[in-house]
Amino acid sequence: MHKKTLQRIRRVLAAIFFLGITLMFLDFSGTLHKFLGWMAKAQFLPAVLALNFVVIAILLIITLLFGRIYCSVICPLGVFQDGVAHVHNWTKKNRYTFSKAHNILRYIMLGVFVVTLVAGLSSIAALLAPYSAYGRIVQSLFAPVWQWINNGLAAISEHFNSYAFYEKDVWMRSLPTLIIAALTLVVIVILAWRNGRTYCNNICPVGTFLSFFSRFSWFKMHINEEKCIQCGLCTKNCKASCIDGKNGFVDYSRCVTCGNCMAVCPKEAIEYKHVKGNPTPVGANNHSPMTDDKQPDTETVDTGKRAFLIGSAVALGTAAFAQEKKKVDGGLAAIKDKVIPERTVPIVPAGAGSLQRFRTHCTGCQLCVSQCPNDVLRPSTDLMHLMQPVMSYERGWCRPECTACSDVCPTGAIRKLLKEEKAVTKKGQAYWVSQNCIVTANGIPCGNCARHCPAMAIEMVPKRGDETGKLLIPSINESKCVGCGACEYVCPARPLSAIVVNGVEQQRLI
């Protein structure tokens, strides 16, 4: 094998997965998921939560054969870090050093992740999950920019009487999720810019879990002592800081099989082959490696570059705060935006089953939020279930024929439904708030809620005390209502609708 072959293969595969997953989050038409949805289901944590034993077995077998190539090929956050580190390498080459594994820290992070996941503290677990973290970054920060570009192309194409593009509303779904995504991006970029795979080595629970298996992989990076001239180039180019070239040691628990060490070795002394056993880590002997290497332990921080990176992240985050065009009625009077009502029980997508089941399976990756064509889903602001999707009907309603969220969910938190099942799944219950209704408050006939109810669960009945008999108020049949939110969405009352939908603890077919 040519010394750069492994590196090139890894880069091509990583680019395919990274672009595929990124475009899947950016695509609001739902088209790409039909072709790329398997990439989300191939992520380790979603496969575990979905109890997809086939995917789990395949990933573990791949790790036992080839090492942690999952982290450098399949995981989008891992590939993103490699991209940031690669850009820095253009200006500062040979900048890495070998460091001992911080096993106590990484095992604590893995333990915290498992405990919080089992305990139902999903908002904490979601902060550490690599796939979910990357999904939030794309959906909250990159998607608005993507949509603005799309809207610009839509305006240009419309000028030429072409409708190849259509406009998409750009709006902020959740301020807490936006802030978390921006902070995550800044932290990841700084860590990757300075030290490559710091996040993977010390924080990522998936990487730590796979490290237990990568130690015993069949194929490993091996330093041939007869060919090695101890130049240290392998160490200086290892973004995982797991190669001690002076002592011929590779920490296989951190090696992500990127092939960079093979590519730079002038004597082709590093081979990717079957290696028996696992050498004792140099750190176990309290030996300080690279003592004759005059490379400093710390690097000088380029404040200008750091400011540029942080500034770019803040700029992307600020993009989501852009104001929309003011909506007006026929007389050009400003129409107030609806305010999210207080719901006694949050509404979760059809297919979630029960509220408890949904909360224990969802990682808040935001894929369903990005794919919702009706702008119904948004990240929760509830501290205990932060970033998990909930439904609200200020911008649209959940159409009975739409199954986009259940189609894309990789964890099984939203069970895949047929359109016929979705139409009769009760996910909420509407109720009437008399003081908000324009019929009771202003004496104006309406009936929008009854006219637009797809389940025909609302009937207009005479208002008690109305001598004219012309004022009708809604009466809701609970046995027919599915909680789709059409009534709440079309209600003309502002800022609070006169029809409000509450979620249900346990969904059922009606």
Side-chain angles (χ1 to χ4, degrees):
M1 178 185 293
H2 187 271
K3 66 179 185 178
K4 291 188 176 182
T5 300
L6 180 63
Q7 182 190 56
R8 291 168 180 168
I9 294 174
R10 192 265 309 171
R11 286 181 175 178
V12 170
L13 293 176
I16 292 173
F17 270 91
F18 181 75
L19 291 176
I21 292 176
T22 302
L23 290 174
M24 188 170 58
F25 275 95
L26 295 176
D27 174 44
F28 50 81
S29 68
T31 304
L32 291 180
H33 183 269
K34 297 177 182 178
F35 308 98
L36 304 175
W38 62 274
M39 291 186 176
K41 295 178 180 179
Q43 302 301 312
F44 189 81
L45 180 59
V48 171
L49 293 177
L51 298 180
N52 194 334
F53 297 110
V54 174
V55 172
I56 296 172
I58 291 175
L59 293 178
L60 292 181
I61 290 172
I62 289 175
T63 304
L64 287 171
L65 285 176
F66 306 109
R68 277 177 55 184
I69 63 172
Y70 171 89
C71 300
S72 59
V73 173
I74 301 176
C75 176
L77 191 63
V79 179
F80 177 76
Q81 292 175 80
D82 289 346
V84 174
H86 185 68
V87 172
H88 192 188
N89 290 343
W90 292 346
T91 57
K92 189 170 185 179
K93 300 181 181 298
N94 304 328
R95 61 191 179 91
Y96 299 115
T97 59
F98 173 78
S99 63
K100 294 186 294 183
H102 301 289
N103 288 329
I104 295 179
L105 174 60
R106 63 203 294 213
Y107 295 154
I108 288 176
M109 299 305 293
L110 177 60
V112 169
F113 177 77
V114 173
V115 170
T116 54
L117 201 62
V118 173
L121 302 176
S122 54
S123 58
I124 298 177
L127 293 174
L128 303 176
Y131 167 73
S132 299
Y134 182 74
R136 289 191 295 271
I137 290 172
V138 176
Q139 195 279 323
S140 301
L141 303 176
F142 299 162
V145 177
W146 178 271
Q147 291 165 6
W148 281 328
I149 294 174
N150 169 82
N151 291 348
L153 295 175
I156 295 173
S157 62
E158 184 180 358
H159 179 74
F160 293 99
N161 296 322
S162 172
Y163 296 93
F165 300 89
Y166 61 91
E167 288 193 6
K168 174 71 174 176
D169 286 341
V170 183
W171 58 289
M172 183 178 63
R173 290 170 170 81
S174 169
L175 178 59
T177 300
L178 173 66
I179 294 174
I180 291 172
L183 291 176
T184 303
L185 177 63
V186 171
V187 170
I188 292 295
V189 167
I190 291 177
L191 291 178
W193 185 268
R194 295 190 62 184
N195 297 305
R197 288 267 178 167
T198 302
Y199 172 85
C200 296
N201 288 342
N202 303 302
I203 301 174
C204 179
V206 175
T208 301
F209 178 79
L210 293 178
S211 70
F212 294 127
F213 298 88
S214 63
R215 290 182 175 91
F216 309 103
S217 62
W218 185 263
F219 293 100
K220 300 175 181 176
M221 293 295 175
H222 174 68
I223 300 177
N224 189 325
E225 297 180 359
E226 297 180 357
K227 294 182 179 180
C228 180
I229 58 175
Q230 297 187 345
C231 64
L233 282 177
C234 55
T235 301
K236 296 174 183 178
N237 285 272
C238 178
K239 58 199 174 191
S241 300
C242 68
I243 299 181
D244 176 14
K246 295 296 184 181
N247 295 279
F249 168 72
V250 180
D251 183 354
Y252 298 122
S253 71
R254 289 181 289 160
C255 177
V256 293
T257 320
C258 65
N260 289 356
C261 53
M262 292 179 63
V264 298
C265 182
K267 298 296 183 180
E268 299 187 10
I270 300 182
E271 304 165 330
Y272 184 57
K273 65 176 187 178
H274 171 54
V275 179
K276 296 181 180 180
N278 191 32
T280 302
V282 175
N285 299 324
N286 295 321
H287 175 72
S288 178
M290 307 295 290
T291 52
D292 58 340
D293 189 358
K294 297 181 180 180
Q295 189 174 9
D297 293 334
T298 60
E299 61 177 4
T300 302
V301 178
D302 190 331
T303 56
K305 292 174 181 176
R306 175 181 291 183
F308 169 77
L309 292 170
I310 297 177
S312 300
V314 173
L316 288 173
T318 305
F321 285 100
Q323 293 183 348
E324 300 176 71
K325 297 179 181 178
K326 184 179 290 185
K327 293 179 286 187
V328 296
D329 64 7
L332 299 184
I335 299 177
K336 293 182 179 179
D337 287 332
K338 284 194 174 184
V339 176
I340 300 176
E342 292 186 8
R343 307 187 195 275
T344 55
V345 178
I347 314 168
V348 294
S354 68
L355 194 58
Q356 181 180 1
R357 177 190 175 278
F358 175 76
R359 286 172 169 172
T360 55
H361 282 75
C362 177
T363 63
C365 72
Q366 310 302 307
L367 183 57
C368 59
V369 174
S370 68
Q371 295 293 303
C372 179
N374 304 308
D375 289 336
V376 169
L377 290 178
R378 63 198 63 191
S380 171
T381 56
D382 176 24
L383 186 60
M384 294 300 294
H385 307 97
L386 196 64
M387 301 177 293
Q388 290 188 337
V390 292
M391 303 175 71
S392 201
Y393 304 123
E394 291 70 50
R395 292 177 169 271
W397 61 285
C398 188
R399 299 181 180 275
E401 73 278 5
C402 177
T403 58
C405 56
S406 67
D407 291 340
V408 303
C409 180
T411 67
I414 309 175
R415 184 175 60 85
K416 188 173 178 60
L417 295 176
L418 298 175
K419 293 181 179 180
E420 295 79 7
E421 291 179 289
K422 165 68 183 301
V424 295
T425 297
K426 187 179 185 67
K427 53 192 170 292
Q429 175 61 54
Y431 66 94
W432 179 54
V433 184
S434 61
Q435 63 267 28
N436 294 343
C437 185
I438 64 174
V439 177
T440 56
N442 305 105
I444 301 174
C446 183
N448 257 13
C449 50
R451 286 193 295 271
H452 292 85
C453 178
M456 294 184 290
I458 302 178
E459 179 185 0
M460 302 303 294
V461 299
K463 179 179 179 295
R464 182 178 300 178
D466 176 36
E467 297 178 356
T468 65
K470 295 181 179 179
L471 295 181
L472 304 177
I473 58 175
S475 175
I476 303 171
N477 187 334
E478 294 187 4
S479 64
K480 290 184 177 180
C481 178
V482 296
C484 66
C487 52
E488 182 179 324
Y489 172 63
V490 301
C491 179
R494 295 292 192 280
L496 290 170
S497 292
I499 299 282
V500 176
V501 180
N502 272 328
V504 293
E505 293 285 346
Q506 179 71 50
Q507 296 178 353
R508 66 180 188 276
L509 300 181
I510 61 172

